[in-house]
């Protein structure tokens, strides 16, 4: 079932989303070569807790971190640890926060120091694909309209679209119906209605679209070990468009 959120629920989700956006803005200053992903995890965890929220990912299906930190060929769900960021890395940071029982979810990929032209282009194209996907959202549009627009941008850049992982509804659960794939056909899939809340999250790869999972049971990496990027916003569907809840 796809739930419609009441104005009262949306007001709470706006706060949850703002906490996620603010956590991204806060973490940005610490993204430098030499910092460990554990340090970023602790900073994010403490920031979220200071806002009277809890990190949504901690213990989710046994996930050990408070955030996900995925470097270069790691697509998503990288577990924070002792690894240090290095000049030229892409670091994708995925953050979820739960406030008064409602979640916000947003991922962003950042350059560490100076980065190669092709990696910069991957970040630019993936961010563009997120906003292209979002631009399809309004009451009466179909879920397939979103993925079609994401894929169109990926095709323009010749980037691989990860198909094994998808966006999702958001609410009292981090992952709700419907699935929001990053591919699809215009006019296909569930119809959007005002008050639905969804996370759109394209994962685009510089090379092959194919991915696999590491032995840690979480980290998704590209098959060809080429870099990947991930951009995600949680939004509420409006009559004529959408409102970003995870503003940054
Ligand atoms: N934003 C991620 C997603 O929607 C959440 C990470 S799942 C976790 O898939 F298990 F790592 F928490
Ligand atoms: Co998500």
């Amino acid at each position: 079932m796809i739930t419609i959120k009441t104005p009262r629920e949306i007001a709470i989700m706006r706060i949850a989303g703002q906490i996620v956006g603010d956590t991204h803005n806060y973490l940005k200053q610490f993204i430098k070569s030499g910092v460990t992903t554990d340090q970023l995890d602790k900073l994010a965890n403490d920031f979220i807790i200071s806002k009277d929220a809890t990190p949504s990912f901690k213990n989710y299906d046994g996930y050990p971190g408070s955030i996900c930190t995925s470097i270069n060929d790691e697509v998503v769900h990288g577990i924070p640890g002792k690894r240090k960021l290095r000049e030229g890395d892409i670091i994708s940071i995925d953050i979820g926060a739960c406030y008064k029982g409602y979640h916000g979810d947003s991922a962003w990929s950042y350059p560490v120091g100076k980065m190669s032209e092709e990696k910069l282009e991957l970040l630019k194209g993936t961010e563009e694909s997120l906003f292209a996907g979002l631009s399809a959202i309004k009451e009466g549009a179909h879920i397939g309209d979103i993925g079609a627009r994401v894929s169109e941008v990926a095709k323009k850049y010749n980037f691989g679209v990860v198909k094994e992982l998808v966006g999702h509804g958001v609410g009292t659960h981090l992952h709700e119906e419907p699935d929001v794939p990053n591919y699809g056909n215009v006019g296909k899939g569930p119809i959007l209605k005002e008050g639905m809340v969804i996370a759109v999250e394209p994962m685009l790869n510089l090379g092959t679209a194919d991915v696999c999972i590491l032995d840690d049971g979480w980290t998704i990496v590209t098959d060809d070990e080429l870099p990947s990027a991930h951009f995600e916003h949680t939004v509420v569907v409006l009559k004529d468009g959408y409102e970003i809840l995870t503003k940054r």
Side-chain angles (χ1 to χ4, degrees):
M1 193 189 51
I2 307 177
T3 60
I4 308 282
K5 274 71 181 179
T6 64
R8 187 195 68 87
E9 289 179 295
I10 291 164
I12 298 171
M13 294 193 76
R14 204 174 273 123
I15 300 172
Q18 194 59 62
I19 293 168
V20 172
D22 289 348
T23 309
H24 270 287
N25 286 338
Y26 169 71
L27 270 193
K28 232 161 32 186
Q29 63 186 306
F30 301 103
I31 299 173
K32 286 193 191 103
S33 115
V35 74
T36 67
T37 50
D38 256 346
Q39 287 172 310
L40 296 176
D41 188 73
K42 174 143 190 11
L43 288 162
N45 181 72
D46 294 352
F47 185 89
I48 290 167
I49 286 170
S50 79
K51 303 294 173 192
D52 296 321
T54 53
S56 304
F57 305 165
K58 185 100 190 169
N59 299 322
Y60 182 95
D61 280 346
Y63 182 74
S66 293
I67 59 173
C68 302
T69 52
S70 310
I71 298 171
N72 296 331
D73 63 318
E74 297 174 351
V75 180
V76 287
H77 303 168
I79 301 172
K82 293 191 179 10
R83 183 167 174 184
K84 288 189 167 101
L85 300 187
R86 293 165 52 174
E87 182 89 4
D89 282 345
I90 293 178
I91 172 81
S92 298
I93 298 183
D94 197 343
I95 302 175
C98 184
Y99 179 78
K100 294 197 170 149
Y102 290 82
H103 296 273
D105 187 10
S106 175
W108 217 255
S109 294
Y110 303 91
V112 180
K114 278 202 181 53
M115 209 167 64
S116 69
E117 279 302 321
E118 62 174 5
K119 278 179 157 178
L120 282 172
E121 172 118 322
L122 177 64
L123 297 193
K124 176 171 170 277
T126 309
E127 184 175 350
E128 187 180 323
S129 79
L130 167 62
F131 286 99
L134 293 175
S135 72
I137 297 175
K138 60 178 181 190
E139 170 138 320
H142 292 253
I143 285 290
D145 304 356
I146 301 171
R149 292 211 185 161
V150 169
S151 283
E152 207 172 83
V153 173
K155 195 173 170 198
K156 179 177 87 178
Y157 283 88
N158 200 25
F159 296 150
V161 178
V162 176
K163 311 243 177 6
E164 286 83 350
L165 298 131
V166 296
H168 49 91
V170 187
T172 53
H173 298 273
L174 177 62
H175 294 135
E176 298 186 354
E177 285 179 54
D179 279 355
V180 184
N182 295 306
Y183 55 91
N185 295 310
V186 173
K188 300 285 184 206
I191 297 174
L192 297 174
K193 293 198 178 69
E194 188 177 13
M196 288 180 179
V197 176
I198 57 172
V200 179
E201 49 178 318
M203 290 145 266
L204 301 189
N205 299 344
L206 202 53
T208 180
D210 297 337
V211 297
C212 54
I213 187 161
L214 294 186
D215 287 340
D216 64 16
W218 283 103
T219 315
I220 308 289
V221 296
T222 59
D223 267 356
D224 59 10
E225 299 180 14
L226 288 175
S228 182
H230 182 208
F231 287 79
E232 174 184 33
H233 267 316
T234 301
V235 307
V236 56
V237 179
L238 306 178
K239 278 247 171 324
D240 291 308
Y242 63 92
E243 177 190 338
I244 296 177
L245 297 176
T246 43
K247 284 195 196 90
R248 24 188 312 112

